[in-house]
Amino acid sequence: MMLVLKRVGLLGLLLAWWLPAAQAQRILLRANVANDTTYEIYGPNRAFYNHFYFGYAAVVGPSAGTGAELEYGRSADIFVGLRNKWRLNQTLSLGADLRYDRLAYYLRQNDQKVLPTSAQHHTEYLALHQAQAHGFVRINYGRRGNAIGRYVDLLGWGGWVMGSTHFYEDRPGPNGARKQRVSERGLSYVRRWPYGVGARAGIGRFALVGRYRLADTFTSSAQTRYPELPRWTLGLELSWL
């Protein structure tokens, strides 16, 4: 009788030790699978990724005629935006951007000046504040892990001019003033809907960007008075990855 009790007691202890261990293993396995699935979807080189970026692009090339010469270096595009990317395979991705863009044309002061008037000032520029959308096809190349790596983007873009400004400063100002600053807003001679094409080549966080504007800067009625401004911008872009 004592032998049977000892055997039953030993068997019970073994079952009590084995059952909780088996249950704990099953719970841990389910939790790990869920976490791994989440990490497989989002990342720089996974199915979906987004990040912020900002950049500077100088206006390059001449105006279409005399009377609208620019100060290069100061005439530039400054922008900040959010980029979304969807990977199709290891080579190809699709993407879309939304961004704020400030494009400023600093006007050179000379006797041939006609934009927007022939009057000369100490400093003068036209500034266009835009909301823009971009779509692009990305070609990835080279070996990489879960990182952006090296790529080339072919893109098209369009935007809306939310605001336009003609600013000038005179030194000295009228009536004995040391300087006078004037800001004219809502310019009727500027088109509201710019669009164009471009390309971007990058490594990781850094990219070289070139864009060409297909749309004209000025309305049809203003094109007879003002020569077209340069269509090219070329600059650098930095991403927050």
Side-chain angles (χ1 to χ4, degrees):
M1 187 69 174
M2 292 295 295
L3 181 60
V4 171
L5 289 175
K6 286 181 180 180
R7 288 179 179 177
V8 172
L10 180 58
L11 181 59
L13 289 175
L14 289 173
L15 288 173
W17 173 82
W18 180 79
L19 286 174
Q23 292 173 358
Q25 289 173 358
R26 285 196 295 270
I27 293 172
L28 288 175
L29 181 61
R30 289 170 186 166
N32 287 340
V33 169
N35 289 338
D36 290 344
T37 303
T38 302
Y39 286 118
E40 284 296 326
I41 295 173
Y42 183 82
N45 190 32
R46 290 185 171 132
F48 172 73
Y49 189 59
N50 59 12
H51 61 84
F52 290 98
Y53 67 93
F54 65 94
Y56 165 92
V59 175
V60 296
S63 299
T66 59
E69 288 81 8
L70 301 182
E71 295 183 14
Y72 293 100
R74 300 183 72 186
S75 299
D77 210 357
I78 298 174
F79 51 89
V80 60
L82 174 66
R83 176 166 301 140
N84 298 274
K85 180 178 71 73
W86 296 270
R87 192 188 74 173
L88 301 180
N89 53 48
Q90 284 288 70
T91 303
L92 291 177
S93 300
L94 298 178
D97 298 10
L98 291 175
R99 82 184 199 184
Y100 165 76
D101 188 297
R102 180 185 183 273
L103 176 59
Y105 297 103
Y106 278 79
L107 303 172
R108 183 170 295 173
Q109 308 299 303
N110 53 35
D111 294 336
Q112 292 77 39
K113 175 178 174 291
V114 297
L115 178 65
T117 68
S118 60
Q120 297 185 37
H121 307 279
H122 181 266
T123 301
E124 185 177 19
Y125 64 79
L126 299 179
L128 306 179
H129 306 272
Q130 306 174 55
Q132 293 185 354
H134 293 64
F136 63 89
V137 176
R138 173 165 297 182
I139 303 172
N140 301 288
Y141 60 95
R143 299 183 63 183
R144 66 196 186 282
N146 185 27
I148 292 293
R150 293 176 290 176
Y151 63 89
V152 173
D153 291 346
L154 303 177
L155 59 93
W157 61 273
W160 171 53
V161 178
M162 301 181 294
S164 54
T165 304
H166 170 225
F167 173 86
Y168 63 87
E169 180 181 308
D170 291 327
R171 297 184 185 181
N175 303 319
R178 185 168 62 88
K179 66 176 67 172
Q180 174 182 258
R181 294 179 175 177
V182 177
S183 182
E184 302 171 346
R185 303 180 184 276
L187 309 178
S188 61
Y189 49 85
V190 173
R191 285 188 183 272
R192 284 288 188 180
W193 304 100
Y195 56 89
V197 295
R200 180 170 46 238
I203 302 176
R205 300 177 62 191
F206 303 95
L208 179 66
V209 185
R211 298 201 311 166
Y212 181 79
R213 176 173 45 80
L214 295 171
D216 296 327
T217 302
F218 305 111
T219 61
S220 299
S221 60
Q223 289 176 15
T224 59
R225 305 193 308 271
Y226 304 140
E228 182 57 46
L229 295 170
R231 297 178 181 272
W232 284 99
T233 58
L234 181 64
L236 294 172
E237 186 181 287
L238 176 64
S239 300
W240 290 308
L241 300 179

mmCIF file of all heavy atoms in Angstrom, residues 53-55 77-82 98-103 127-134 160 162-163:
data_model
loop_
_atom_site.group_PDB
_atom_site.id
_atom_site.type_symbol
_atom_site.label_atom_id
_atom_site.label_comp_id
_atom_site.label_asym_id
_atom_site.label_seq_id
_atom_site.Cartn_x
_atom_site.Cartn_y
_atom_site.Cartn_z
ATOM 1 N N TYR A 53 11.714 65.401 -44.717
ATOM 2 C CA TYR A 53 12.931 65.849 -45.394
ATOM 3 C C TYR A 53 12.868 67.361 -45.591
ATOM 4 O O TYR A 53 11.794 67.979 -45.525
ATOM 5 C CB TYR A 53 13.093 65.146 -46.752
ATOM 6 C CG TYR A 53 12.043 65.526 -47.767
ATOM 7 C CD1 TYR A 53 12.252 66.561 -48.682
ATOM 8 C CD2 TYR A 53 10.817 64.855 -47.811
ATOM 9 C CE1 TYR A 53 11.284 66.906 -49.610
ATOM 10 C CE2 TYR A 53 9.852 65.199 -48.732
ATOM 11 C CZ TYR A 53 10.083 66.224 -49.635
ATOM 12 O OH TYR A 53 9.116 66.579 -50.541
ATOM 13 N N PHE A 54 14.014 67.977 -45.827
ATOM 14 C CA PHE A 54 14.078 69.395 -46.176
ATOM 15 C C PHE A 54 15.244 69.611 -47.114
ATOM 16 O O PHE A 54 16.118 68.730 -47.263
ATOM 17 C CB PHE A 54 14.213 70.278 -44.921
ATOM 18 C CG PHE A 54 15.491 70.083 -44.163
ATOM 19 C CD1 PHE A 54 16.586 70.897 -44.392
ATOM 20 C CD2 PHE A 54 15.598 69.080 -43.196
ATOM 21 C CE1 PHE A 54 17.767 70.719 -43.683
ATOM 22 C CE2 PHE A 54 16.772 68.896 -42.490
ATOM 23 C CZ PHE A 54 17.858 69.723 -42.735
ATOM 24 N N GLY A 55 15.276 70.757 -47.782
ATOM 25 C CA GLY A 55 16.346 70.976 -48.746
ATOM 26 C C GLY A 55 16.418 72.392 -49.277
ATOM 27 O O GLY A 55 15.570 73.252 -48.976
ATOM 28 N N ASP A 77 15.061 77.842 -54.061
ATOM 29 C CA ASP A 77 13.908 77.081 -53.603
ATOM 30 C C ASP A 77 14.246 76.494 -52.231
ATOM 31 O O ASP A 77 15.242 75.773 -52.102
ATOM 32 C CB ASP A 77 13.691 75.948 -54.610
ATOM 33 C CG ASP A 77 12.257 75.534 -54.744
ATOM 34 O OD1 ASP A 77 11.422 76.080 -54.012
ATOM 35 O OD2 ASP A 77 11.978 74.660 -55.575
ATOM 36 N N ILE A 78 13.455 76.771 -51.193
ATOM 37 C CA ILE A 78 13.631 76.181 -49.865
ATOM 38 C C ILE A 78 12.365 75.399 -49.547
ATOM 39 O O ILE A 78 11.254 75.925 -49.691
ATOM 40 C CB ILE A 78 13.900 77.258 -48.804
ATOM 41 C CG1 ILE A 78 15.192 78.008 -49.133
ATOM 42 C CG2 ILE A 78 13.990 76.635 -47.412
ATOM 43 C CD1 ILE A 78 15.476 79.186 -48.228
ATOM 44 N N PHE A 79 12.504 74.133 -49.110
ATOM 45 C CA PHE A 79 11.331 73.278 -48.982
ATOM 46 C C PHE A 79 11.465 72.319 -47.813
ATOM 47 O O PHE A 79 12.562 71.983 -47.365
ATOM 48 C CB PHE A 79 11.103 72.487 -50.278
ATOM 49 C CG PHE A 79 12.304 71.748 -50.784
ATOM 50 C CD1 PHE A 79 12.585 70.458 -50.381
ATOM 51 C CD2 PHE A 79 13.176 72.350 -51.681
ATOM 52 C CE1 PHE A 79 13.695 69.773 -50.841
ATOM 53 C CE2 PHE A 79 14.296 71.680 -52.154
ATOM 54 C CZ PHE A 79 14.549 70.386 -51.735
ATOM 55 N N VAL A 80 10.305 71.847 -47.315
ATOM 56 C CA VAL A 80 10.228 70.829 -46.266
ATOM 57 C C VAL A 80 8.984 69.989 -46.540
ATOM 58 O O VAL A 80 7.951 70.522 -46.962
ATOM 59 C CB VAL A 80 10.168 71.474 -44.866
ATOM 60 C CG1 VAL A 80 8.958 72.382 -44.710
ATOM 61 C CG2 VAL A 80 10.173 70.405 -43.778
ATOM 62 N N GLY A 81 9.095 68.647 -46.340
ATOM 63 C CA GLY A 81 7.957 67.807 -46.686
ATOM 64 C C GLY A 81 7.988 66.443 -46.030
ATOM 65 O O GLY A 81 8.891 66.113 -45.255
ATOM 66 N N LEU A 82 6.970 65.642 -46.362
ATOM 67 C CA LEU A 82 6.817 64.265 -45.875
ATOM 68 C C LEU A 82 6.776 63.343 -47.084
ATOM 69 O O LEU A 82 5.994 63.571 -48.015
ATOM 70 C CB LEU A 82 5.530 64.121 -45.063
ATOM 71 C CG LEU A 82 5.161 62.701 -44.611
ATOM 72 C CD1 LEU A 82 6.189 62.170 -43.620
ATOM 73 C CD2 LEU A 82 3.759 62.678 -44.002
ATOM 74 N N LEU A 98 4.338 65.157 -50.039
ATOM 75 C CA LEU A 98 3.605 66.392 -49.827
ATOM 76 C C LEU A 98 4.567 67.370 -49.170
ATOM 77 O O LEU A 98 5.244 67.009 -48.203
ATOM 78 C CB LEU A 98 2.379 66.167 -48.934
ATOM 79 C CG LEU A 98 1.239 65.351 -49.524
ATOM 80 C CD1 LEU A 98 0.158 65.126 -48.473
ATOM 81 C CD2 LEU A 98 0.644 66.052 -50.743
ATOM 82 N N ARG A 99 4.629 68.619 -49.696
ATOM 83 C CA ARG A 99 5.628 69.532 -49.140
ATOM 84 C C ARG A 99 5.212 70.995 -49.269
ATOM 85 O O ARG A 99 4.378 71.355 -50.109
ATOM 86 C CB ARG A 99 6.970 69.317 -49.802
ATOM 87 C CG ARG A 99 7.196 69.996 -51.134
ATOM 88 C CD ARG A 99 8.552 69.570 -51.685
ATOM 89 N NE ARG A 99 9.066 70.462 -52.690
ATOM 90 C CZ ARG A 99 10.192 70.255 -53.359
ATOM 91 N NH1 ARG A 99 10.917 69.171 -53.121
ATOM 92 N NH2 ARG A 99 10.627 71.103 -54.257
ATOM 93 N N TYR A 100 5.817 71.827 -48.400
ATOM 94 C CA TYR A 100 5.726 73.286 -48.511
ATOM 95 C C TYR A 100 6.986 73.767 -49.210
ATOM 96 O O TYR A 100 8.102 73.315 -48.904
ATOM 97 C CB TYR A 100 5.613 73.946 -47.135
ATOM 98 C CG TYR A 100 5.884 75.432 -47.191
ATOM 99 C CD1 TYR A 100 4.936 76.313 -47.694
ATOM 100 C CD2 TYR A 100 7.118 75.942 -46.781
ATOM 101 C CE1 TYR A 100 5.190 77.671 -47.768
ATOM 102 C CE2 TYR A 100 7.385 77.297 -46.854
ATOM 103 C CZ TYR A 100 6.413 78.163 -47.345
ATOM 104 O OH TYR A 100 6.679 79.499 -47.429
ATOM 105 N N ASP A 101 6.817 74.707 -50.149
ATOM 106 C CA ASP A 101 7.923 75.148 -51.001
ATOM 107 C C ASP A 101 7.887 76.680 -51.108
ATOM 108 O O ASP A 101 6.843 77.255 -51.441
ATOM 109 C CB ASP A 101 7.748 74.496 -52.381
ATOM 110 C CG ASP A 101 8.920 74.723 -53.303
ATOM 111 O OD1 ASP A 101 9.194 75.884 -53.655
ATOM 112 O OD2 ASP A 101 9.553 73.739 -53.676
ATOM 113 N N ARG A 102 9.027 77.314 -50.819
ATOM 114 C CA ARG A 102 9.142 78.773 -51.007
ATOM 115 C C ARG A 102 10.190 79.032 -52.089
ATOM 116 O O ARG A 102 11.380 78.766 -51.895
ATOM 117 C CB ARG A 102 9.539 79.472 -49.716
ATOM 118 C CG ARG A 102 9.658 81.004 -49.868
ATOM 119 C CD ARG A 102 10.166 81.650 -48.596
ATOM 120 N NE ARG A 102 10.227 83.100 -48.693
ATOM 121 C CZ ARG A 102 11.273 83.781 -49.175
ATOM 122 N NH1 ARG A 102 12.361 83.128 -49.603
ATOM 123 N NH2 ARG A 102 11.255 85.103 -49.223
ATOM 124 N N LEU A 103 9.736 79.548 -53.211
ATOM 125 C CA LEU A 103 10.617 79.855 -54.337
ATOM 126 C C LEU A 103 10.753 81.370 -54.445
ATOM 127 O O LEU A 103 9.753 82.076 -54.583
ATOM 128 C CB LEU A 103 10.030 79.280 -55.624
ATOM 129 C CG LEU A 103 10.753 79.583 -56.927
ATOM 130 C CD1 LEU A 103 12.190 79.072 -56.890
ATOM 131 C CD2 LEU A 103 9.990 78.989 -58.103
ATOM 132 N N ALA A 127 8.477 86.258 -54.459
ATOM 133 C CA ALA A 127 8.447 85.013 -53.681
ATOM 134 C C ALA A 127 7.110 84.313 -53.893
ATOM 135 O O ALA A 127 6.052 84.949 -53.823
ATOM 136 C CB ALA A 127 8.666 85.289 -52.203
ATOM 137 N N LEU A 128 7.175 82.997 -54.154
ATOM 138 C CA LEU A 128 5.985 82.179 -54.359
ATOM 139 C C LEU A 128 5.931 81.125 -53.262
ATOM 140 O O LEU A 128 6.839 80.297 -53.140
ATOM 141 C CB LEU A 128 6.020 81.511 -55.731
ATOM 142 C CG LEU A 128 6.226 82.451 -56.929
ATOM 143 C CD1 LEU A 128 6.263 81.649 -58.225
ATOM 144 C CD2 LEU A 128 5.153 83.524 -56.980
ATOM 145 N N HIS A 129 4.863 81.129 -52.466
ATOM 146 C CA HIS A 129 4.656 80.153 -51.399
ATOM 147 C C HIS A 129 3.710 79.078 -51.932
ATOM 148 O O HIS A 129 2.565 79.384 -52.294
ATOM 149 C CB HIS A 129 4.067 80.831 -50.168
ATOM 150 C CG HIS A 129 4.878 82.001 -49.695
ATOM 151 N ND1 HIS A 129 5.919 81.861 -48.817
ATOM 152 C CD2 HIS A 129 4.798 83.331 -50.003
ATOM 153 C CE1 HIS A 129 6.457 83.053 -48.578
ATOM 154 N NE2 HIS A 129 5.801 83.954 -49.287
ATOM 155 N N GLN A 130 4.181 77.824 -51.960
ATOM 156 C CA GLN A 130 3.446 76.778 -52.664
ATOM 157 C C GLN A 130 3.212 75.542 -51.797
ATOM 158 O O GLN A 130 4.056 75.191 -50.966
ATOM 159 C CB GLN A 130 4.222 76.340 -53.912
ATOM 160 C CG GLN A 130 4.586 77.480 -54.848
ATOM 161 C CD GLN A 130 5.471 77.007 -55.980
ATOM 162 O OE1 GLN A 130 5.127 76.084 -56.709
ATOM 163 N NE2 GLN A 130 6.619 77.633 -56.132
ATOM 164 N N ALA A 131 2.087 74.886 -52.028
ATOM 165 C CA ALA A 131 1.849 73.525 -51.545
ATOM 166 C C ALA A 131 2.003 72.612 -52.755
ATOM 167 O O ALA A 131 1.374 72.843 -53.787
ATOM 168 C CB ALA A 131 0.449 73.398 -50.958
ATOM 169 N N GLN A 132 2.849 71.582 -52.631
ATOM 170 C CA GLN A 132 3.176 70.747 -53.780
ATOM 171 C C GLN A 132 2.989 69.267 -53.455
ATOM 172 O O GLN A 132 3.141 68.842 -52.306
ATOM 173 C CB GLN A 132 4.614 70.979 -54.232
ATOM 174 C CG GLN A 132 4.866 72.360 -54.810
ATOM 175 C CD GLN A 132 6.271 72.508 -55.361
ATOM 176 O OE1 GLN A 132 7.113 71.615 -55.213
ATOM 177 N NE2 GLN A 132 6.539 73.634 -55.996
ATOM 178 N N ALA A 133 2.692 68.501 -54.501
ATOM 179 C CA ALA A 133 2.615 67.042 -54.420
ATOM 180 C C ALA A 133 3.536 66.452 -55.476
ATOM 181 O O ALA A 133 3.603 66.959 -56.598
ATOM 182 C CB ALA A 133 1.188 66.569 -54.628
ATOM 183 N N HIS A 134 4.259 65.384 -55.102
ATOM 184 C CA HIS A 134 5.178 64.698 -56.011
ATOM 185 C C HIS A 134 4.801 63.221 -56.094
ATOM 186 O O HIS A 134 4.415 62.617 -55.089
ATOM 187 C CB HIS A 134 6.627 64.787 -55.515
ATOM 188 C CG HIS A 134 7.204 66.156 -55.541
ATOM 189 N ND1 HIS A 134 6.718 67.183 -54.777
ATOM 190 C CD2 HIS A 134 8.260 66.671 -56.239
ATOM 191 C CE1 HIS A 134 7.434 68.279 -55.004
ATOM 192 N NE2 HIS A 134 8.364 67.996 -55.888
ATOM 193 N N TRP A 160 0.186 74.313 -55.958
ATOM 194 C CA TRP A 160 -0.737 75.439 -55.881
ATOM 195 C C TRP A 160 -0.022 76.584 -55.180
ATOM 196 O O TRP A 160 0.520 76.421 -54.082
ATOM 197 C CB TRP A 160 -1.992 75.037 -55.112
ATOM 198 C CG TRP A 160 -2.910 76.186 -54.789
ATOM 199 C CD1 TRP A 160 -3.426 77.097 -55.649
ATOM 200 C CD2 TRP A 160 -3.394 76.558 -53.482
ATOM 201 N NE1 TRP A 160 -4.218 78.005 -54.998
ATOM 202 C CE2 TRP A 160 -4.223 77.698 -53.658
ATOM 203 C CE3 TRP A 160 -3.233 76.019 -52.214
ATOM 204 C CZ2 TRP A 160 -4.863 78.321 -52.596
ATOM 205 C CZ3 TRP A 160 -3.875 76.636 -51.150
ATOM 206 C CH2 TRP A 160 -4.686 77.769 -51.343
ATOM 207 N N MET A 162 -0.076 79.256 -52.937
ATOM 208 C CA MET A 162 -0.945 79.729 -51.857
ATOM 209 C C MET A 162 -0.844 81.238 -51.666
ATOM 210 O O MET A 162 -1.811 81.888 -51.269
ATOM 211 C CB MET A 162 -0.571 79.030 -50.553
ATOM 212 C CG MET A 162 -0.683 77.537 -50.582
ATOM 213 S SD MET A 162 -0.252 76.806 -48.982
ATOM 214 C CE MET A 162 1.506 77.243 -48.901
ATOM 215 N N GLY A 163 0.357 81.779 -51.922
ATOM 216 C CA GLY A 163 0.572 83.200 -51.751
ATOM 217 C C GLY A 163 1.736 83.665 -52.599
ATOM 218 O O GLY A 163 2.680 82.912 -52.851
#
